[in-house]
Amino acid sequence: MKTLLNLVWLIFSGLWIALGYAVAGLICFVLIVTIPFGIACFRIAGYALWPFGYTVTERRDAGAASGVGNVIWLIVAGLWITLGHIVAGIGFCLTVIGIPFGIAHFKMIPVSLMPLGREIVPTSDPYPRYRWS
C-alpha cells in the first residue's frame, strides 16, 4: 500500500515539491553560512518524494545552533513553506481520494517549519503517529 500511495503522490505533487526543495537547497549552497539550510532542504526533498512509510522525529543531540538556525529559517522561509503545505493539504482533503495526500502534506509541516534538529526515519506503517517524545 505504501508503494502505491508513494507512486501516486510522486505523480501528483511529490515531484514538484521535491524539485522546489532541491532548487532551494542549491540556492542555500551559494553562501557558506546557509549550507546547513541547504542540507536540510535536500533531506526534505527526499522526504517529499517518498513520504508514506516515513515520519519525522526530534534529534536529541541537536544543540543550541539548531535552535538559532530554526528561528532564522522560520522567519525567512519556514512560515511560507508551511502555509503552502497547509493550503495544499486542505485542497487535497476536499476530495475523498485526495485525503491521504492531504495528510502527507500535513505530515511535512513540522519539518518544513523547523527543519534543523529533526530526523526522517522509516516506519512500517504508511500513517505513523508522530514521535515527538
Side-chain angles (χ1 to χ4, degrees):
M1 189 65 170
K2 290 186 299 188
T3 304
L4 179 64
L5 285 170
N6 279 322
L7 287 173
V8 175
W9 167 265
L10 184 68
I11 294 167
F12 285 112
S13 69
L15 188 62
W16 303 109
I17 295 170
L19 188 64
Y21 277 116
V23 168
L26 288 174
I27 292 170
C28 287
F29 275 110
V30 171
L31 298 174
I32 293 173
V33 177
T34 56
I35 287 176
F37 300 122
I39 293 169
C41 284
F42 286 125
R43 189 175 63 238
I44 298 170
Y47 181 49
L49 274 177
W50 215 250
F52 295 100
Y54 290 90
T55 190
V56 178
T57 61
E58 188 175 338
R59 288 184 54 179
R60 296 288 183 196
D61 60 345
S66 293
V68 172
N70 278 332
V71 171
I72 294 169
W73 174 268
L74 180 71
I75 294 168
V76 175
L79 286 174
W80 303 109
I81 295 171
T82 301
L83 286 174
H85 282 299
I86 290 171
V87 169
I90 290 171
F92 273 108
C93 285
L94 292 177
T95 64
V96 174
I97 295 172
I99 290 174
F101 308 116
I103 292 171
H105 274 287
F106 295 142
K107 277 177 47 177
M108 288 187 203
I109 290 174
V111 75
S112 66
L113 191 62
M114 295 191 173
L116 303 177
R118 304 281 186 249
E119 188 175 22
I120 299 166
V121 295
T123 64
S124 60
D125 187 13
Y127 295 109
R129 67 182 190 281
Y130 291 111
R131 296 187 211 167
W132 293 101
S133 56

